Amino acid sequence: MPPVSRHPLTRALVTRTPLARGIIDRFVAGPSDTDAIAAVAGLADLGLLATVDLLGEDITRAQDAADTLLAYLGLLDLADRAGIAAGLDVSVKLSALGQAVPRDGRKLSYENAAELCARAAAANATVTLDMEDHTTTDSTLDTLVELRRDFPFVGAVLQAQLLRTETDCRDLATAGSRVRLCKGAYREPSAVAYQGRPAVAAAYARCLGILLTGSGYPMIATHDPALLNLAGRFAEHVGRLPATFEYQLLYGVRPGEQRRLASTGATVRVYVPYGADCVPYLTRRLVERPTNLLLAARALRSRAWDAAGLGLWAGLGLWAGLGRGGPGTRRAWDYGRAWDAAGLGLWAGLGRGLVGRGTERATGRSRARGDRTGDGSGRA
């Protein structure tokens, strides 16, 4: 079974079901650069900064990497003309700029990234190199070092779940160094990563302490209430001024918390993804990390998520029942394959639930016309 983000059924459910667009619209700014700019402008009206990410990865052709670069340059041009480029950050994966292109991928991705950084510098914007799975960490950090020779504003991303990250935090917590700390959105083996939510949260807290006591510019990327509270208290304890660090939260997730943090005087930046290739991003954020799925459910508060939950667990049960050796053997419970099946169940549930929600609304309106004494049970 291919990864759920690349499964044809997943793509069909997400991209061809009209009502499922509500999920995409919540967490993705839209398919075009004009959608991204509109989202950035809307956030600015709320006192929030933005980092914009053109969705797309796993590029293996030089022409596709060139197309991605042109799209980013066009985004910066559009932001410049709209008067919102200054202070804007651009997040980019080196794989999207050609890192995985055979033979010259690393050189190609560096050259493309350097051209993007030059355009960002001209617009008073910044660039942050997104981190991917652990196999690319060294090459990404090597490229970061090279880019910073000419563009010291280039930001790094570190994933707290990796065993190596505390050391990387110490290396990067230097003057002027922008470092985004996230938990990590990729499934990683126990040989290189902490396993389980408590262990990852503890690792995040340790890394946070290293960055906040260093001389760099920490970018605290988490939605975990306990870690957000810890970050605020620790920053105050070590005398960090609000202008010397920032919080980063995902577009569409806990918008009330984003505004609350900003109202305290904190610098808050929202990670705004856009582009047509949204399925891998949504799957990684909402399926392969169950905690993000719960955040999404709380954010939407939709009955569609009830059906999605049933689909999720049905997918898990289906895989366990049909997997190798049956549900009674240990080897059948392979987490990666289980989540692949769960992902298909999730998207199927979303589609079913959202269709049901539309039907329920229509039925509710019909009932309301004939019975004005009801309790509103027909509303979603």
Side-chain angles (χ1 to χ4, degrees):
M1 178 181 287
V4 64
S5 62
R6 299 298 181 189
H7 199 288
L9 178 57
T10 306
R11 288 185 173 276
L13 285 167
V14 177
T15 60
R16 298 179 188 172
T17 305
L19 287 173
R21 293 297 309 181
I23 305 300
I24 297 174
D25 292 343
R26 177 76 190 214
F27 300 105
V28 178
S32 71
D33 51 7
T34 55
D35 295 320
I37 294 302
V40 172
L43 292 168
D45 290 341
L46 298 173
L48 304 170
L49 300 175
T51 180
V52 183
D53 179 20
L54 173 59
L55 298 175
E57 51 197 85
D58 300 331
I59 284 176
T60 56
R61 298 194 315 138
Q63 184 57 55
D64 293 336
D67 291 342
T68 298
L69 172 62
L70 287 176
Y72 270 114
L73 297 178
L75 174 76
L76 286 170
D77 288 342
L78 194 60
D80 214 0
R81 290 197 298 271
I84 58 174
L88 180 66
D89 183 63
V90 171
S91 290
V92 61
K93 293 177 175 61
L94 288 178
S95 68
L97 296 179
Q99 188 179 52
V101 171
R103 291 185 297 278
D104 297 325
R106 189 172 180 280
K107 179 175 180 289
L108 176 65
S109 62
Y110 165 76
E111 291 173 348
N112 286 336
E115 186 171 348
L116 175 59
C117 289
R119 180 65 187 90
N124 291 318
T126 55
V127 174
T128 299
L129 299 184
D130 269 341
M131 193 61 74
E132 301 178 68
D133 69 75
H134 78 278
T135 64
T136 66
T137 301
D138 282 327
S139 60
T140 299
L141 292 180
D142 288 344
T143 300
L144 173 78
V145 171
E146 294 175 14
L147 288 170
R148 281 184 170 180
R149 291 177 186 141
D150 295 316
F151 309 102
F153 59 75
V154 177
V157 177
L158 297 177
Q159 301 178 94
Q161 69 171 350
L162 297 182
L163 303 179
R164 60 174 288 169
T165 299
E166 288 178 61
T167 299
D168 291 332
C169 283
R170 293 187 183 93
D171 292 341
L172 291 173
T174 57
S177 176
R178 299 171 56 249
V179 180
R180 177 193 300 156
L181 179 65
C182 62
K183 287 184 177 179
Y186 294 84
R187 291 197 307 258
E188 300 284 12
S190 58
V192 300
Y194 296 104
Q195 305 296 309
R197 184 178 178 181
V200 173
Y204 192 101
R206 293 193 299 272
C207 292
L208 187 62
I210 294 170
L211 293 176
L212 285 173
T213 54
S215 56
Y217 183 85
M219 300 181 286
I220 303 163
T222 182
H223 303 93
D224 188 320
L227 290 174
L228 287 172
N229 183 51
L230 174 65
R233 289 190 291 110
F234 194 72
E236 183 178 1
H237 175 72
V238 298
R240 277 268 182 182
L241 297 175
T244 65
F245 71 100
E246 68 184 44
Y247 297 99
Q248 294 193 355
L249 294 93
L250 296 174
Y251 184 77
V253 180
R254 303 191 69 191
E257 179 65 6
Q258 296 170 14
R259 295 190 296 272
R260 186 198 69 79
L261 286 169
S263 71
T264 67
T267 303
V268 180
R269 190 179 300 273
V270 179
Y271 186 95
V272 180
Y274 79 100
D277 191 17
C278 63
V279 178
Y281 170 81
L282 288 174
T283 300
R284 190 160 55 243
R285 296 295 182 184
L286 305 182
V287 176
E288 292 172 357
R289 281 291 179 179
T291 50
N292 287 337
L293 175 61
L294 293 175
L295 284 170
R298 293 191 191 108
L300 285 175
R301 290 188 177 91
S302 167
R303 290 188 181 183
W305 281 99
D306 294 337
L310 293 176
L312 173 67
W313 292 112
L316 285 171
L318 175 65
W319 186 88
L322 300 179
R324 295 175 301 163
T329 62
R330 285 183 179 271
R331 65 178 181 172
W333 192 249
D334 178 285
Y335 284 103
R337 293 191 178 187
W339 277 113
D340 286 341
L344 294 178
L346 168 67
W347 289 115
L350 282 174
R352 184 177 180 85
L354 286 166
V355 170
R357 185 183 183 192
T359 302
E360 182 180 273
R361 280 179 168 172
T363 303
R365 286 193 296 268
S366 177
R367 287 176 178 171
R369 285 193 293 268
D371 182 3
R372 298 294 183 182
T373 62
D375 60 1
S377 60
R379 292 177 297 165

